[in-house]
Amino acid sequence: MKDKYLIINAGSSSLKFSLYEMPSTKEIVNGYIQKIGDSDSFYTLKYKGQKVDKEREIKNHKQAVEVMLEELKENKFITSIDEIKGVGHRVLHGGEYYSSSTLIDEEVLKNIKSLTKLGPLHHPGEIAGIEGMMEVLENVPQVAVFDTAFHQTMPKKNYLYAVPYSWYKENGVRKYGFHGTSHNYITNKMKDHLKKDDVNLIICHIGSGASIACIKGGVCYDTTMGLTPLDGLIMGTRSGSIDPSILEYISKERGISLEKITEELNKKSGLIGLAGKNDFRDLSKASQKGDEKATLALNMFYNSVTKYIAQYYFELESEVDALVFTAGIGENAYIFRENIMNRISKATGVKLDKEVNESIPSKLEKGIISTEDSSFEVIVEPTNEEYMILMDTYNVSRG
Ligand code: AMP
């Protein structure tokens, strides 16, 4: 009987899960339960190259967990629930409580609940997933892996906003940072690659959500996302940082509430707000065909990334070991990387190896896209948040 670990990503009406065998890290099956709470709930299981769809009413997250376990047993992915040695939960916000993944007990659950105000879209679903699991798998260690935890090493001068200090002390207003699991994974990869622990890095996690982290001496020193994932870079549908006065102004001008404005800043801004498209491939095609809005949006996007690379280059006093590109756009779009390299090359002394850059990912999955005479390495490294969550779950569960 091999030890099995479950990784859970719960949303308000959905539950994604993957079952792994450890220590081999082999994925046995993954599933996606959707429309929890509706009469037309359904789910998908994927294993051994096949995909199975099923429909069944699932009233709540607890029932979703029960259905998941039934499927795992019926399909003989497990013979008994005793084989499950740990469950990892992806949790958006650990506030200032958690700087690493942690075993969930009543106290931790209480803290996660108290952070719902900082993660109102994510926490209710995640909490329902944790509670469902804790009820059904009472004696199995449950681990919370926080998107914010990795950034807790930021110094105060980098995480405070210049607002009344009481907003921080009494209301928790500060930069928390997100995508921490990905930035942590890449940092570890770079420590291996550079064969040292005290690495200085600029990590560009550029997907439809995007953030850059500045790593100094092997730990997070600064990052672009803030109190929420809305801050920082221009993203697929998020504005990134803007003049905060726009909120009151547009509320009065258009007669819309703050909630509505926040929603529009999250879902209707960024690339989609500028050009009507948020997928990088669609935007690139449109731009090539002469769509001026697409070209403008892409240029603003490239400049936004360049601006933070420049800031972090200076924060690291130009002592950079590597600049890393990761996530959907960072890993796949060579044209994106070329545009960024063209903007930073002269000032930083890094030069693009065009041939290597263009051969990723069609020929290579990862690689060094800077020339040998560059001042530091520029690397494409695929991120793997799931692996990081699995390893944390495995390690924390075993104590
Ligand atoms: P993510 O949120 O990390 O899944 O990244 C999604 C973004 O990556 C979207 O804007 C996609 O257009 C972009 N993307 C994914 N694959 C490619 C590709 N092969 N070439 C260019 N962009 C890509």
Side-chain angles (χ1 to χ4, degrees):
M1 192 175 86
K2 300 245 170 63
D3 288 350
K4 313 265 162 70
Y5 287 79
L6 265 172
I7 302 303
I8 303 294
N9 195 346
S12 54
S13 63
S14 68
L15 189 122
K16 283 187 194 154
F17 64 89
S18 309
L19 182 73
Y20 290 90
E21 198 175 272
M22 290 302 275
S24 70
T25 72
K26 184 177 145 211
E27 189 188 67
I28 303 166
V29 56
N30 70 61
Y32 189 15
I33 304 175
Q34 294 179 71
K35 289 196 160 188
I36 298 172
D38 282 358
S39 53
D40 56 346
S41 334
F42 62 98
Y43 58 93
T44 312
L45 297 175
K46 283 190 194 163
Y47 53 93
K48 287 187 190 151
Q50 45 175 325
K51 182 168 170 269
V52 180
D53 295 307
K54 293 197 182 179
E55 281 175 31
R56 173 166 167 185
E57 187 179 354
I58 298 175
K59 292 197 174 67
N60 50 41
H61 283 74
K62 182 178 174 223
Q63 199 190 345
V65 171
E66 285 164 350
V67 169
M68 173 191 76
L69 290 173
E70 257 172 50
E71 287 288 352
L72 296 183
K73 276 194 264 184
E74 262 172 34
N75 290 295
K76 309 232 173 338
F77 298 126
I78 54 171
T79 44
S80 110
I81 57 171
D82 296 339
E83 279 173 53
I84 301 173
K85 302 294 181 203
V87 182
H89 297 268
R90 188 172 192 160
V91 181
L92 179 80
H93 224 298
E96 286 192 325
Y97 294 114
Y98 304 108
S99 54
S100 58
S101 301
T102 189
L103 209 55
I104 306 176
D105 57 15
E106 285 307 316
E107 172 81 12
V108 174
L109 188 56
K110 198 178 105 214
N111 290 337
I112 294 173
K113 283 183 180 170
S114 76
L115 291 165
T116 301
K117 60 185 176 189
L118 290 173
L121 300 178
H122 294 81
H123 272 220
E126 290 166 0
I127 291 162
I130 294 171
E131 288 184 325
M133 275 289 171
M134 285 175 102
E135 257 182 77
V136 180
L137 293 178
E138 223 181 326
N139 299 316
V140 180
Q142 311 276 331
V143 177
V145 181
F146 301 99
D147 242 21
T148 52
F150 180 68
H151 302 296
Q152 278 295 301
T153 50
M154 278 189 289
K156 208 168 202 168
K157 64 179 177 185
N158 288 344
Y159 72 64
L160 279 187
Y161 292 112
V163 294
Y165 198 73
S166 56
W167 293 12
Y168 165 60
K169 279 318 254 183
E170 293 161 28
N171 310 102
V173 170
R174 54 159 283 178
K175 188 193 276 186
Y176 290 97
F178 297 86
H179 291 144
T181 316
S182 172
H183 289 300
N184 192 3
Y185 175 83
I186 297 291
T187 302
N188 288 339
K189 278 273 172 194
M190 288 303 114
K191 285 179 181 176
D192 288 347
H193 170 72
L194 297 161
K195 297 189 177 59
K196 63 175 189 172
D197 273 343
D198 58 344
V199 288
N200 285 356
L201 309 167
I202 299 172
I203 303 174
C204 302
H205 175 115
I206 314 293
S208 62
S211 70
I212 303 185
C214 173
I215 311 298
K216 189 173 186 179
V219 297
C220 181
Y221 184 69
D222 206 349
T223 192
T224 55
M225 283 179 169
L227 176 78
T228 72
L230 184 56
D231 202 5
L233 296 165
I234 292 175
M235 299 173 230
T237 64
R238 297 186 197 131
S239 62
S241 52
I242 56 167
D243 180 348
S245 301
I246 293 172
L247 275 73
E248 187 189 346
Y249 174 75
I250 210 69
S251 172
K252 286 183 180 153
E253 280 284 305
R254 300 179 76 98
I256 52 177
S257 66
L258 269 183
E259 286 75 14
K260 180 77 185 151
I261 295 172
T262 306
E263 189 189 320
E264 297 214 346
L265 290 174
N266 271 293
K267 298 193 176 151
K268 300 215 164 129
S269 300
L271 300 173
I272 208 165
L274 288 164
K277 295 178 179 63
N278 66 333
D279 191 284
F280 185 83
R281 289 163 290 202
D282 297 344
L283 269 173
S284 301
K285 271 190 215 137
S287 171
Q288 276 160 14
K289 284 188 189 150
D291 180 333
E292 284 176 18
K293 277 186 174 170
T295 305
L296 174 69
L298 286 173
N299 276 317
M300 288 174 67
F301 178 51
Y302 298 145
N303 284 346
S304 162
V305 173
T306 306
K307 186 174 86 174
Y308 287 104
I309 293 176
Q311 180 182 336
Y312 295 158
Y313 180 73
F314 280 97
E315 283 189 31
L316 294 171
E317 297 176 60
S318 80
E319 287 176 8
V320 177
D321 292 310
L323 167 71
V324 190
F325 290 111
T326 194
I329 298 170
E331 288 167 29
N332 296 299
Y334 76 84
I335 203 79
F336 164 81
R337 298 189 298 259
E338 185 175 317
N339 268 282
I340 302 302
M341 292 293 278
N342 287 343
R343 283 165 170 78
I344 67 169
S345 191
K346 201 168 166 191
T348 61
V350 284
K351 292 181 209 137
L352 182 69
D353 185 327
K354 263 176 88 79
E355 205 182 315
V356 177
N357 187 43
E358 287 172 24
S359 61
I360 299 172
S362 49
K363 288 193 209 128
L364 298 164
E365 275 194 341
K366 58 182 190 178
I368 300 169
I369 60 167
S370 48
T371 56
E372 278 197 11
D373 59 344
S374 288
S375 46
F376 52 85
E377 286 186 341
V378 182
I379 301 174
V380 179
E381 178 73 52
T383 192
N384 195 343
E385 290 166 281
E386 184 90 355
Y387 175 82
M388 196 77 224
I389 295 173
L390 176 65
M391 291 316 290
D392 272 11
T393 303
Y394 181 61
N395 292 326
V396 175
S397 299
R398 295 185 317 146

